[in-house]
Amino acid sequence: MNKHLYLFTVGFFYAHSLVAQVNHGARLTAMGNNGAAVKDIWGVAVNPAAIAYISSPMIQITQQEHFFTNEIRNQALVVAIPFKNLVFGLGLQRYGISAFQNNKVGIVITKAFGPKLAIGLRANYNQLKISNYGATVGISVDLGTIYQLTDELCLGFYINNLTKEAYRTKTIHTSLPTAAYFGIAYRTSDKLLIASTISKGVVATGIDYQLIKAFSIRSGLSLNPFTHYFGLGFNPLKFLIDFAFTKHPNFGYSPQLTIGYVF
């Protein structure tokens, strides 16, 4: 089968799976895609409440290559800007190939209700483009919360597509994913963070260990399917560079790079 035809066929018949792709940034990816309870700028794309305690404007961009071909790419950009007692976020994501593209723009507003509780809301503009079938758009809304139970333990919960929107045209009909995620993050010390997330029977666990100042190592795993994750993080001064590698049992390795800056 022609390579491009094969990629298109995979995209068309697994449209729901591709639409569900969310880029977590290399740090959270390396931790097993654990973002439900981890306070990180990539809450712009994952749990919108997770950006509530950001104190300075920041930006990060990332690119992840697909397992079995570099023609399928997952690219994203996130921005977080604190303003008075709110934090605003903007996220852009693109996933797919030229014949099958899933694009998403998310706008986030998050508020912290004291040092323990934060609630975030995200409005998404989703676009699905399939060659020879046209394009369609859908609007979805996500809601998330973060609760700092103790100094060490943080709980997180978020749900995507609250109103269960779908893409519907004469030629394209597929659902936008609706899923709930619950996570915990436990900081055993200033150096070690352990996080876990569960959703629809899928369990993921990961760690972030600061080996020395400005250098971290990360690892994680998820079940169903059993997938390994590994990554490194460099954070000198205001710059950030994160690497992640995902090892799928059938498709092999998928590399990811994230770079960022804090203003």
Side-chain angles (χ1 to χ4, degrees), residues 31 75 93 99 103 109 111 117 125 172 199 222 234 247:
M31 295 175 66
Q75 302 165 317
Q93 298 214 25
N103 302 311
I109 181 170
K111 179 177 174 58
L117 175 66
Y125 176 88
I172 302 174
S199 175
S222 61
F234 305 90
K247 186 179 186 300

Side-chain angles (χ1 to χ4, degrees), residues 22-23 40-52 54 56-62 75-83 86-94 103-110 121-126 142 259 261 263:
V22 174
N23 199 316
D40 190 277
I41 185 177
W42 285 93
V44 169
V46 188
N47 183 348
I51 67 171
I54 287 177
S56 300
M58 59 179 64
I59 182 171
Q60 290 189 21
I61 59 174
T62 192
Q75 302 165 317
L77 176 148
V78 290
V79 178
I81 301 174
F83 180 74
L86 300 172
V87 178
F88 296 91
L90 172 67
L92 308 176
Q93 298 214 25
R94 177 186 180 276
N103 302 311
K104 180 178 179 180
V105 179
I107 299 175
V108 176
I109 181 170
T110 301
L121 187 69
R122 178 172 55 239
N124 306 293
Y125 176 88
N126 305 275
D142 309 329
I259 59 176
Y261 184 77
F263 295 90

Side-chain angles (χ1 to χ4, degrees), residues 24-40 184-187 191-197 203-210 216-222 227-233 242-246 256:
H24 289 67
R27 181 196 179 208
L28 297 182
T29 296
M31 295 175 66
N33 285 327
N34 271 292
V38 178
K39 297 173 182 177
D40 190 277
I184 60 173
Y186 184 71
R187 184 168 292 281
K191 292 182 175 292
L192 180 62
L193 175 67
I194 304 172
S196 186
T197 300
V203 180
T205 301
I207 62 171
D208 183 338
Y209 181 71
Q210 188 181 62
S216 299
I217 58 174
R218 295 145 187 162
S219 184
L221 60 87
S222 61
T227 306
H228 294 277
Y229 306 85
F230 175 77
L232 302 172
D242 288 331
F243 298 94
F245 300 90
T246 302
Q256 183 175 357

Side-chain angles (χ1 to χ4, degrees), residues 1 8 13 67 74 100 119 128-129 148 179 185 192 197 219:
M1 181 183 290
F8 172 77
F13 287 102
F67 297 101
N74 192 339
F100 188 104
I119 297 175
L128 181 63
K129 297 172 65 177
Q148 192 71 44
L192 180 62
T197 300
S219 184

Side-chain angles (χ1 to χ4, degrees), residues 142-204:
D142 309 329
L143 178 68
T145 183
I146 286 279
Y147 185 72
Q148 192 71 44
L149 187 63
T150 68
D151 290 342
E152 298 81 17
L153 183 63
C154 184
L155 308 178
F157 174 82
Y158 70 101
I159 182 169
N160 290 335
N161 193 18
L162 285 168
T163 56
K164 298 184 178 181
E165 298 297 324
Y167 294 119
R168 291 186 178 91
T169 67
K170 291 182 179 180
T171 54
I172 302 174
H173 187 180
T174 185
S175 299
L176 286 162
T178 298
Y181 301 80
F182 174 76
I184 60 173
Y186 184 71
R187 184 168 292 281
T188 63
S189 67
D190 292 339
K191 292 182 175 292
L192 180 62
L193 175 67
I194 304 172
S196 186
T197 300
I198 184 170
S199 175
K200 291 185 176 180
V202 178
V203 180

